[in-house]
Amino acid sequence: MSRHFKRTKICNEEGSGTQSSGAHGSGGNLGDLDHEIAQLTKRRSEPNEHLRKARLGGLKLPVSTLRMLAARESNYSGRGRFSLSDSCHVLSRCLPIYGPQKVDTMGSRAYVSQFSADGSLFVAAFQGSHIRIYNVDKGWKVQKDIMAKSLQWTITDTCLSPDQRYLVYSSMSPLVHIVSIESAATESLANVTEIHDGLDFASNNNGDYEDFSIFSVKFSTDGRELVAASSDGAIYVYDLLANKVGLQILAHQVDVNTVCFADESGHIIYSGSDDNFCKVWDRRCLSTAGQAAGVLTGHLEGITFIDSRGDGRYLISNGKDQSTKLWDIRKMTSNCPTFHRRRDYDWDYRWMDYPEEDRNLKHPYDQSLTTYKGHSVLYTLIRCYFSPAYSTGQKYIYTGSGDCIVYIYDLVSGKEVAKLDHHNEPVRDCSWHPFYPLLVTSSWDGVIAKWEFPWENNITG
């Protein structure tokens, strides 16, 4: 197992980390605020008060894994076991920075990295029509090798159903295909060895397929619906039981690059567009109002990805202004204030560097809680995420980058705590295992790589 520690930057989360440039928001650095999300994160990822203040001979000891274990054995908490926050405190210090090890290498760009909800499966999608599903519990064996149907340019997104029986995939096309992954056959060639049903998202547009693309697709928690983001500025909700589009929301004026459900209820939807806005949609009100429940303003360029914290309140977004932003939807407004900058040329993130003169600009109506900078959002729709709730208490956010690196930031302080440097091309997507300190990256160099925690190292600090 090769080691590349010299290429991996890891910072001590107790205070020696590098401050992300411009970690700020409308209210300043969250590390200086008594903001609710800071308190929620602290509550989820700090040890039990009795363990934290464990005394030996009247001396208060610093928090460490070894001392927490000793305090647990001495039953300082009165329960004889770790609480969930105790476990998160221990596991959140085990950052997945060891490696990497190659999982697979393909001859085309990798666009998607996704663990299943239980971590037993991993999905990787490539520009050359391949989608591979790996069985993590069986040594990363390829369980399903899918050859996509009607591919236009690249696979833009994939999503496993909540019961892990089906996979949907989208491309620069109005058709989203759904395929069963339960069959015994490893090879799945569209409509040759297996049927890949096509779900038509342009049926409400009188079959107008020209320049229609699906950039993002997600299952609802109950598996009955799909929500999709499209190039025609609309959000679509597909009713799988009725086998038709059940809802079309004219959400933005230009491409909608990303969409997701806010929580398990499925009532609230977040969207992000090239119009620079994140919008919040309440499906319970659309029949009467037909308008967004609110708008979140602050990005200076288009939105490439949104990830929900899962609580129907907080989300993060990646923007082509080279930043990730943290939002609280209680700060949203009903209008879309604009900020115009003067440029002598048309900037295109797909092949141009971000203008130096724009790097320190700030939106005058910025509603975000804080901003994380250091990574680059260039060349493709780079994705960002909250770290897992079970193992980290969502203490971190992490993102791919156009400079071929994965960046991990502390959610509250904004500090850059790790950089995973291995790939030779942009990292579009990455995925942290829901329970273990394991992170997998997918890059345009065609490499799927996994990073783990160096268990042999001392973590007692």
Side-chain angles (χ1 to χ4, degrees):
M1 192 181 299
S2 62
R3 305 186 183 189
H4 302 277
F5 284 117
K6 65 179 181 179
R7 303 192 67 195
T8 303
K9 177 181 177 182
I10 178 69
C11 307
N12 187 313
E13 65 182 271
E14 303 298 330
S16 63
T18 303
Q19 183 73 35
S20 59
S21 60
H24 62 271
S26 56
N29 191 327
L30 277 177
D32 301 326
L33 292 178
D34 185 24
H35 192 274
E36 182 179 285
I37 194 169
Q39 298 303 316
L40 289 172
T41 304
K42 180 178 179 181
R43 192 185 314 150
R44 278 187 172 188
S45 60
E46 283 208 344
N48 177 278
E49 185 73 8
H50 294 291
L51 292 180
R52 189 171 64 83
K53 293 183 177 180
R55 296 172 182 271
L56 183 61
L59 177 65
K60 185 182 291 188
L61 300 174
V63 178
S64 73
T65 304
L66 182 60
R67 291 178 180 121
M68 284 181 66
L69 289 169
R72 184 188 68 178
E73 295 304 309
S74 300
N75 200 21
Y76 274 95
S77 68
R79 293 181 296 181
R81 59 182 174 84
F82 279 158
S83 67
L84 181 58
S85 62
D86 295 332
S87 299
C88 279
H89 179 74
V90 173
L91 288 172
S92 67
R93 303 176 72 179
C94 303
L95 291 174
I97 52 85
Y98 173 76
Q101 284 183 287
K102 287 185 180 180
V103 172
D104 206 347
T105 303
M106 298 290 284
S108 65
R109 294 170 171 175
Y111 270 73
V112 177
S113 286
Q114 293 173 356
F115 275 109
S116 61
D118 66 0
S120 65
L121 300 176
F122 179 81
V123 180
F126 302 85
Q127 187 175 20
S129 300
H130 271 93
I131 304 170
R132 286 190 166 175
I133 302 177
Y134 305 86
N135 191 313
V136 178
D137 296 338
K138 294 183 178 180
W140 294 85
K141 179 182 178 181
V142 176
Q143 178 170 310
K144 203 78 173 177
D145 193 354
I146 300 168
M147 183 63 72
K149 179 188 178 185
S150 304
L151 186 71
Q152 299 292 327
W153 177 245
T154 186
I155 294 165
T156 54
D157 204 5
T158 67
C159 190
L160 282 168
S161 62
D163 60 9
Q164 298 180 187
R165 297 175 59 196
Y166 299 95
L167 177 93
V168 292
Y169 60 87
S170 61
S171 70
M172 311 290 274
S173 157
L175 296 178
V176 170
H177 289 91
I178 183 167
V179 56
S180 171
I181 64 171
E182 286 190 309
S183 66
T186 300
E187 301 293 327
S188 180
L189 181 59
N191 291 4
V192 176
T193 60
E194 292 184 328
I195 299 297
H196 293 196
D197 291 325
L199 312 177
D200 188 356
F201 278 76
S203 57
N204 287 6
N205 295 347
N206 298 318
D208 184 9
Y209 288 7
E210 187 176 355
D211 297 326
F212 192 110
S213 303
I214 298 293
F215 296 118
S216 175
V217 61
K218 298 289 184 292
F219 270 101
S220 60
T221 304
D222 60 13
R224 297 181 178 182
E225 294 178 319
L226 292 171
V227 63
S230 75
S231 60
D232 67 351
I235 300 169
Y236 294 87
V237 178
Y238 197 97
D239 186 329
L240 291 169
L241 297 180
N243 195 28
K244 66 178 182 178
V245 172
L247 177 64
Q248 178 185 13
I249 305 172
L250 303 179
H252 298 266
Q253 298 298 314
V254 290
D255 291 359
V256 185
N257 294 323
T258 178
V259 67
C260 66
F261 290 105
D263 56 25
E264 293 184 353
S265 72
H267 296 312
I268 307 297
I269 296 172
Y270 300 146
S271 65
S273 167
D274 274 339
D275 62 12
N276 308 353
F277 297 116
C278 297
K279 291 188 178 182
V280 181
W281 306 89
D282 189 336
R283 297 170 63 187
R284 295 165 294 187
C285 305
L286 286 173
S287 59
T288 56
Q291 296 180 343
V295 180
L296 295 166
T297 304
H299 278 295
L300 296 166
E301 307 285 352
I303 315 301
T304 65
F305 197 74
I306 285 175
D307 187 41
S308 173
R309 192 169 179 267
D311 54 10
R313 184 169 295 170
Y314 297 102
L315 62 144
I316 56 174
S317 60
N318 252 358
K320 297 175 186 177
D321 56 6
Q322 313 306 296
S323 72
T324 301
K325 286 184 175 290
L326 171 66
W327 309 90
D328 181 342
I329 68 170
R330 292 171 295 183
K331 289 181 172 287
M332 64 188 181
T333 56
S334 58
N335 61 342
C336 301
T338 57
F339 173 61
H340 298 287
R341 74 184 65 75
R342 294 181 180 178
R343 281 197 185 125
D344 297 329
Y345 60 93
D346 292 329
W347 175 73
D348 193 318
Y349 88 115
R350 291 174 295 179
W351 54 74
M352 301 170 70
D353 289 334
Y354 195 63
E356 285 296 328
E357 61 270 22
D358 289 353
R359 289 189 178 274
N360 294 321
L361 286 180
K362 187 175 184 295
H363 200 295
Y365 306 107
D366 191 355
Q367 298 165 314
S368 64
L369 299 181
T370 194
T371 302
Y372 310 85
K373 291 186 177 182
H375 60 292
S376 66
V377 186
L378 295 171
Y379 313 122
T380 183
L381 301 178
I382 302 288
R383 298 180 167 193
C384 62
Y385 301 94
F386 288 95
S387 64
Y390 177 85
S391 59
T392 71
Q394 296 179 305
K395 184 177 180 179
Y396 306 106
I397 63 171
Y398 62 104
T399 175
S401 181
D403 64 3
C404 318
I405 298 171
V406 172
Y407 289 75
I408 303 176
Y409 301 107
D410 185 281
L411 174 72
V412 175
S413 71
K415 290 179 179 178
E416 175 191 294
V417 296
K419 290 169 65 175
L420 309 183
D421 186 356
H422 170 70
H423 294 284
N424 298 316
E425 296 288 344
V427 178
R428 183 181 188 265
D429 203 1
C430 43
S431 186
W432 198 315
H433 192 283
F435 305 115
Y436 303 129
L438 169 64
L439 193 148
V440 179
T441 57
S442 62
S443 168
W444 275 12
D445 60 12
V447 174
I448 305 297
K450 63 177 180 177
W451 305 75
E452 299 176 277
F453 175 72
W455 293 106
E456 68 271 22
N457 280 16
N458 183 1
I459 64 169
T460 58

